[in-house]
Amino acid sequence: MSTRRPILSFCLLMLAFPCIAQTQATPIMGFTPATATHENEVENKFKAIPSPDEERRQHHIFTAEPHVAGSARNNELARYIADQWRTEGLEDVIIRRYDVYGSNPRSTLLEMTAPVHYRAGLRELPVPGDPDMKNKAISSAWSGMSASGEVTAPLVYAHSGNPEDYDLLRKQGIDVKGKVVLVRYSNPYSYRGFKALTAEREGAAAILIYSDPAEDGYKKGKVVPNGPWGPEYHIQRGAITYDFMVPGDPLTPGWASIPGAKRIPVEQAVSIPKIMALPLSWHDAKPLLAQMDGPVAPDDWQGGLPIKYHLGGKRVRVHVKIEMDNSTQPYYVVEGRIRGAELPDEWIVLGNHRDAWVFGGVDPSSGTASMMELTRALGKLAKAGTRPKRTIVVCSWDGEEVGLTGSTEWGEQFADELRKKAVAYINVDSSTSGPNFHGQAVASLAPMLVETSRTLKDPSGKSLYGAWKESSARERAEAKLSEEVTDLNLADTRIGSGSDHTVFLNFVGMPVLGLQFDGPYGVYHSAYDDFFWMNHFGDPGYHYHTLMSQLWGVLALRLANADLLPFDFASYASNIRQFVNELAKANEKNMWGQPPSAVQPGEARKQPPLDLKPVLAAIDDFESAGKRLDDSAARALSSGSIDPKLAATINHGAMQVERNWLNPDGIPGRPWFKHILYGARFTYAHLELPGLTEAVEKQDWPTANQQAEILRLALVNNTKLLNELNSTLNGETADAGK
Ligand SMILES: [Zn+2]
């Protein structure tokens, strides 16, 4: 809960503690005036430690060699992190092992056999000035979780590889069954695993996914080594795992793949694709596209290459051969902590993945460098006797790129303990590819994220808050969105999948935050995403890496040291209301059979098959309860001190709210995903109220009514919980005032 009205609480603070106001203590959500003063001191000490030189030094260590999941180098880096953490003063440092279904290439081959012969190089060539690109250990093109096999078949161009693209092909009389499809990485981003599943459902024998220069290459701007965009040979590797069905090791869905764990047969694993896949550079895609016949592709299917794109299907034939090694493989998660001085059994969990497709300049080693400076700073403070109240747990995940694997296995292994102890999870995947900040949070933590951004300085000289607001306004203008940027919508509260927060939010029921700086970046998952790229384009001074360490750490410290956890449940309620209203608006036709404008004057509108009024009423109640608790919390905090036992009761109750959004049965068809407010589409795009929304979109009214009732009951349940907490808090506050 939180003090939602900073102006009011600041006035209260000034009345109660004029002396503190004079020394300009900044009020902080969840802190009393006195503890806020102390917190400011701790944060200032903390923020002074991370340095750009150290960020760069760490970044160089992590990007020195390719370190894909399961590789000797990635495992060596796990040991390096563990050693560093021990030296820095972190406690209980341990490397946890998970034995997972492996997916590594033995051999890959692509050649055009007709009308002319062309053998794809599947390699990324060196560029002047970047010594790392000469490294012999750079892998060739491959897709994680591709099936093994061999086929020689006609090639069809299927644009972005989305279902509607195949509809268009069908209309043109082109069937892809048994053929090979060539698709491009799409903008807006759609997860390549969704393209693979779509091609598999269409009966294609293999899918080739290439990077068109219109997406991330010369059509965008200067390419490496002269600019940040992808050069001719860059290959966007990546997994095609169906982790939108269930993430983690495909053979242990819902439990941890610790050595000796039960495993399901490969044939039963829903997240393993049955189609062969290969990523291509445009250098290797161009000769194929140039030879294709058939109808000319529609205008919006034309790409950035100086050729006419055709749909193909006859003249061009390709031979694809892929052999994967699927033997069981160990992945390693490194875990360490700074034990809390007062509440060691309340945890703030932080994480970043370590594995990279190649060098991982941005993804993920920028985040790893930021994490290493964060842990060094926390360790230094702890050694000097400044320890957080609650425990801060830090994890280096493995196999994120394959299927969010390490974090999922760890989250599944410790789910029960996390549900008791965890306050929140803060994820940093890539920390930096440019200067524009993006902050994500479940709606209850969005206000504290915005508040925290005010206390940090952006390299531009503005506050991070100011810089964030400016870049958000710019991005919204570019996207032609009319919504103005305000404190209430600055943080992104729509959370999809695609990184390590997934298990914590969707399976464990923990509030999550995600942090990233971004900018022009065309080398994602290619070998060109390396130390050279970062030093020339992404963050040459490492100032954004440093700012990320500071921000990540200050957020962790605030959650770790708060008297009352800074959740804002009234804000949560208004977000949920927005989700429900948007669902109703987007599905007007599904729900009413016709838009309201189509109803003739005097004509009675028929009843919709789903009534959302009870849900909206329950949201109103939840919001009122949230506001009352916010007010009580603000009063309790401004009174100057709060009984630790009372605070513990309130905090444990507040931690329960997120767990109560879980439906143990999961969303229909995807039982692993249990959160009823947040989910992801198969494209990884955020999907609010996933069970309800999918049912409404399918016009499956019995399921939609069931899902609406599940949502209503969760709201009722959480309203009751907040009311109880409010009574407890007020009872105690009244007593203390006697
Ligand atoms: Zn990543």
Side-chain angles (χ1 to χ4, degrees):
M1 78 267 6
S2 71
T3 51
R4 198 155 174 248
R5 282 152 222 84
I7 295 169
L8 171 70
S9 33
F10 191 66
C11 295
L12 286 172
L13 288 180
M14 299 237 285
L15 288 173
F17 292 89
C19 52
I20 287 171
Q22 277 158 18
T23 58
Q24 291 178 330
T26 314
I28 307 176
M29 286 171 72
F31 289 79
T32 69
T35 55
T37 305
H38 181 249
E39 175 67 13
N40 273 319
E41 285 166 19
V42 171
E43 288 176 8
N44 286 337
K45 270 194 235 165
F46 170 82
K47 284 188 282 190
I49 300 170
S51 88
D53 288 349
E54 269 300 297
E55 300 274 356
R56 187 173 192 272
R57 192 180 71 79
Q58 291 287 2
H59 187 247
H60 207 175
I61 291 168
F62 284 96
T63 56
E65 289 291 331
H67 53 288
V68 77
S71 65
R73 174 62 181 174
N74 199 41
N75 300 343
E76 187 184 323
L77 287 173
R79 290 190 293 275
Y80 165 76
I81 292 173
D83 289 346
Q84 287 277 299
W85 284 355
R86 287 190 188 107
T87 314
E88 288 165 2
L90 271 70
E91 290 131 341
D92 310 326
V93 176
I94 181 168
I95 299 182
R96 298 195 185 270
R97 170 176 166 173
Y98 301 99
D99 288 344
V100 307
Y101 179 78
S103 174
N104 292 292
R106 275 210 186 97
S107 67
T108 51
L109 168 82
L110 168 67
E111 56 186 347
M112 175 161 54
T113 56
V116 292
H117 186 262
Y118 171 76
R119 179 162 176 159
L122 305 179
R123 312 259 1 157
E124 296 175 295
L125 298 194
V127 287
D130 183 353
D132 285 331
M133 283 306 299
K134 295 192 188 116
N135 192 320
K136 293 273 179 292
I138 296 174
S139 66
S140 69
W142 67 290
S143 300
M145 287 287 168
S146 166
S148 297
E150 180 169 14
V151 66
T152 302
L155 184 68
V156 175
Y157 172 52
H159 188 224
S160 290
N162 291 323
E164 60 272 20
D165 296 325
Y166 292 95
D167 291 341
L168 190 140
L169 286 171
R170 253 186 297 278
K171 276 189 202 134
Q172 297 282 335
I174 296 171
D175 183 8
V176 302
K177 234 171 237 101
K179 295 178 185 157
V180 178
V181 293
L182 175 65
V183 308
R184 55 201 257 196
Y185 279 110
S186 47
N187 195 3
Y189 177 80
S190 150
Y191 171 51
R192 67 188 83 70
F194 176 62
K195 298 174 193 288
L197 176 66
T198 309
E200 185 183 304
R201 284 175 172 169
E202 295 286 344
I207 181 169
L208 311 172
I209 314 176
Y210 83 99
S211 301
D212 195 283
E215 244 78 76
D216 60 4
Y218 61 75
K219 285 282 173 182
K220 290 282 189 182
K222 283 188 180 162
V223 303
V224 169
N226 303 310
W229 295 101
E232 178 171 359
Y233 289 91
H234 87 282
I235 299 165
Q236 186 193 128
R237 294 163 189 73
I240 57 162
T241 317
Y242 302 161
D243 53 10
F244 39 75
M245 296 301 295
V246 55
D249 176 15
L251 304 186
T252 61
W255 63 93
S257 46
I258 47 178
K262 180 187 101 185
R263 279 164 176 81
I264 60 169
V266 173
E267 311 75 62
Q268 286 174 23
V270 294
S271 61
I272 300 178
K274 294 178 182 63
I275 190 168
M276 287 187 284
L278 259 189
L280 297 182
S281 65
W282 70 252
H283 174 85
D284 277 340
K286 191 178 167 197
L288 313 180
L289 282 163
Q291 290 292 339
M292 280 165 89
D293 60 351
V296 172
D299 282 354
D300 57 340
W301 286 35
Q302 298 294 324
L305 293 170
I307 49 169
K308 250 297 168 246
Y309 292 52
H310 288 74
L311 301 180
K314 287 208 178 87
R315 183 163 65 167
V316 173
R317 290 177 70 83
V318 290
H319 173 209
V320 182
K321 188 176 177 200
I322 297 172
E323 236 188 292
M324 302 294 289
D325 173 2
N326 298 120
S327 50
T328 305
Q329 182 167 45
Y331 283 177
Y332 297 99
V333 168
V334 193
E335 179 193 318
R337 69 190 63 208
I338 303 278
R339 267 186 237 130
E342 293 169 37
L343 301 163
D345 285 332
E346 292 178 20
W347 298 355
I348 320 302
V349 185
L350 318 181
N352 156 265
H353 73 90
R354 185 178 68 254
D355 63 303
W357 282 107
V358 191
F359 299 105
V362 170
D363 182 9
S365 302
S366 62
T368 315
S370 292
M371 177 181 72
M372 295 313 283
E373 271 301 85
L374 159 76
T375 54
R376 183 173 73 88
L378 287 177
K380 205 168 169 186
L381 287 190
K383 278 184 181 167
T386 305
R387 209 166 253 288
K389 222 158 96 169
R390 298 182 179 85
T391 294
I392 297 178
V393 180
V394 192
C395 292
S396 164
W397 310 121
D398 201 352
E400 187 271 354
E401 296 291 2
V402 184
L404 315 177
T405 309
S407 58
T408 301
E409 299 312 315
W410 190 87
E412 288 172 343
Q413 185 177 2
F414 299 107
D416 290 340
E417 196 173 1
L418 288 165
R419 287 187 188 125
K420 281 191 204 102
K421 299 181 176 174
V423 173
Y425 172 69
I426 314 178
N427 192 56
V428 174
D429 187 316
S430 304
S431 86
T432 309
S433 63
N436 307 321
F437 181 64
H438 288 266
Q440 275 198 328
V442 293
S444 57
L445 285 178
M448 76 86 68
L449 174 58
V450 173
E451 181 191 69
T452 305
S453 73
R454 291 175 185 275
T455 65
L456 290 146
K457 215 170 146 198
D458 186 80
S460 63
K462 299 177 201 89
S463 68
L464 172 60
Y465 168 79
W468 184 11
K469 249 184 144 168
E470 264 186 37
S471 62
S472 295
R474 213 168 38 240
E475 282 165 12
R476 278 176 216 198
E478 278 162 19
K480 302 203 163 53
L481 297 174
S482 55
E483 192 190 38
E484 217 183 299
V485 182
T486 68
D487 285 4
L488 295 179
N489 66 22
L490 186 54
D492 179 9
T493 58
R494 289 148 202 279
I495 304 174
S497 183
S499 195
D500 291 307
H501 61 277
T502 305
V503 70
F504 301 107
L505 179 64
N506 300 99
F507 185 82
V508 181
M510 282 163 62
V512 301
L513 295 121
L515 317 169
Q516 185 175 7
F517 289 95
D518 74 12
Y521 173 46
V523 295
Y524 171 67
H525 286 187
S526 79
Y528 303 96
D529 181 11
D530 66 357
F531 188 67
F532 172 92
W533 190 92
M534 187 59 75
N535 280 271
H536 287 81
F537 312 114
D539 187 19
Y542 286 81
H543 295 295
Y544 289 95
H545 283 75
T546 310
L547 177 55
M548 180 60 85
S549 301
Q550 293 170 328
L551 171 66
W552 198 359
V554 171
L555 287 166
L557 287 169
R558 287 187 177 193
L559 289 165
N561 292 334
D563 298 295
L564 294 178
L565 292 171
F567 294 120
D568 186 330
F569 296 121
S571 163
Y572 218 149
S574 71
N575 263 262
I576 300 168
R577 182 183 298 113
Q578 198 181 347
F579 296 165
V580 171
N581 287 335
E582 283 172 3
L583 163 77
K585 191 151 193 271
N587 289 281
E588 222 155 29
K589 216 165 156 247
N590 283 333
M591 287 173 64
W592 293 88
Q594 57 186 357
S597 55
V599 181
Q600 297 301 316
E603 184 188 342
R605 201 177 182 189
K606 65 176 170 36
Q607 270 308 305
L610 171 69
D611 184 4
L612 289 169
K613 279 199 276 316
V615 168
L616 288 165
I619 293 172
D620 291 347
D621 292 345
F622 179 57
E623 184 171 45
S624 306
K627 277 185 182 147
R628 280 193 298 273
L629 185 59
D630 277 356
D631 291 345
S632 301
R635 253 195 321 275
L637 290 167
S638 66
S639 78
S641 77
I642 184 157
D643 173 57
K645 256 167 87 189
L646 174 63
T649 307
I650 304 300
N651 289 333
H652 280 138
M655 283 157 67
Q656 197 55 43
V657 171
E658 198 70 36
R659 317 302 185 241
N660 288 345
W661 301 129
L662 295 189
N663 174 11
D665 297 336
I667 60 179
R670 294 192 276 168
W672 188 91
F673 288 86
K674 300 182 188 304
H675 209 292
I676 58 178
L677 304 179
Y678 296 106
R681 294 191 187 270
F682 287 15
T683 57
Y684 276 177
H686 58 87
L687 171 64
E688 287 71 52
L689 314 172
L692 178 60
T693 303
E694 287 184 333
V696 170
E697 287 174 353
K698 278 189 233 156
Q699 303 192 34
D700 173 355
W701 303 116
T703 307
N705 277 288
Q706 246 168 37
Q707 292 294 314
E709 183 59 8
I710 289 168
L711 172 59
R712 194 189 66 82
L713 288 175
L715 285 158
V716 169
N717 200 5
N718 268 334
T719 305
K720 190 168 156 263
L721 172 59
L722 296 193
N723 285 336
E724 281 165 13
L725 295 179
N726 191 41
S727 307
T728 310
L729 187 53
N730 283 329
E732 187 63 34
T733 313
D735 284 346
K738 271 178 202 164

